Amino acid sequence: MNRRRLPRVAARTVLIVGEGDAEEVFLRYLKGLYVERGSGVAVTIKNARGKGAGHVVDYARRQAMNAQYDVVAALLDTDTGWTDAARKMAKQASIQVLPCDPCLEALLLAVKDEAIDGKTTDQLKRAFERRFGCSASEMDWTRHLDIALVDRKAGEHPVLGQLIQTFIRVDVAR
């Protein structure tokens, strides 16, 4: 049987490293919203298992050396290890940093119009658990965020906007 084969098109490859479990859960949810099968974008999500922003950047750098990615990004908290050395390492390795100040829970609470100003990381994590009834790593985002809300809030929260662009951008950043 003579089948016509369509030419293969190389997918745009994206590596996004999250600092911990909460970032991984959130990234996987966003990937499900924005990256369709056959879209020409292949997104790999990795978990750096904590240890601060410097470790996340270093982990992303090491993972990027294992395979060729068009875009490498790191979603991290700025409360621990976000130093000039970490910034320099990210710049030298061409890693797009998506900093949550001071933590991911602050961004997620702000998206849901909760007050976050002047609160510490611990206060924000407790406020998150009170608001949603669980930690960010246990969150079922399908119940609390839909694509319309995420799109609307992306303009108000630059990190969220950059993250979405990382998933859907068709140009090659490197």
Side-chain angles (χ1 to χ4, degrees), residues 104-119 123-124 126-133 141 144 149 153 156-157:
L104 178 66
E105 287 82 356
L107 172 65
L108 300 174
L109 285 167
V111 165
K112 296 297 276 185
D113 297 322
E114 296 284 333
I116 60 167
D117 292 334
K119 293 183 179 175
Q123 290 170 330
L124 289 163
R126 283 193 303 271
F128 186 92
E129 287 188 23
R130 278 193 309 274
R131 169 72 164 84
F132 296 105
W141 283 109
H144 299 282
L149 178 62
K153 294 296 185 168
E156 297 173 27
H157 304 284

Side-chain angles (χ1 to χ4, degrees):
M1 194 170 236
N2 197 5
R3 291 189 204 179
R4 285 183 74 165
R5 291 188 179 247
L6 296 174
R8 294 192 89 171
V9 177
R12 183 171 78 66
T13 57
V14 177
L15 169 65
I16 303 179
V17 175
E19 183 167 344
D21 295 338
E23 287 82 2
E24 182 181 16
V25 168
F26 186 61
L27 289 169
R28 289 193 187 288
Y29 174 68
L30 290 180
K31 178 183 175 183
L33 288 179
Y34 289 98
V35 182
E36 297 178 17
R37 289 187 185 272
S39 67
V41 179
V43 177
T44 301
I45 296 171
K46 299 268 184 163
N47 184 338
R49 304 278 181 231
K51 302 179 192 153
H55 173 74
V56 177
V57 171
D58 184 50
Y59 183 85
R61 180 188 61 80
R62 287 182 285 121
Q63 292 299 309
M65 291 183 342
N66 292 333
Q68 182 64 40
Y69 293 98
D70 297 315
V71 177
V72 178
L75 180 65
L76 51 84
D77 298 344
T78 61
D79 61 349
T80 306
W82 188 228
T83 63
D84 288 339
R87 287 180 190 81
K88 182 177 179 181
M89 184 190 319
K91 185 174 182 178
Q92 288 175 340
S94 299
I95 296 170
Q96 177 186 354
V97 177
L98 305 163
C100 297
D101 188 24
C103 59
L104 178 66
E105 287 82 356
L107 172 65
L108 300 174
L109 285 167
V111 165
K112 296 297 276 185
D113 297 322
E114 296 284 333
I116 60 167
D117 292 334
K119 293 183 179 175
T120 66
T121 298
D122 288 338
Q123 290 170 330
L124 289 163
K125 288 180 185 277
R126 283 193 303 271
F128 186 92
E129 287 188 23
R130 278 193 309 274
R131 169 72 164 84
F132 296 105
C134 64
S135 70
S137 61
E138 300 166 335
M139 190 64 170
D140 175 12
W141 283 109
T142 57
R143 294 182 48 221
H144 299 282
L145 282 182
D146 61 18
I147 195 166
L149 178 62
V150 175
D151 285 343
R152 192 170 68 248
K153 294 296 185 168
E156 297 173 27
H157 304 284
V159 169
L160 186 58
Q162 292 169 347
L163 187 54
I164 292 167
Q165 287 303 309
T166 301
F167 282 124
I168 63 175
R169 189 173 54 219
V170 292
D171 62 309
V172 175
R174 275 192 183 180

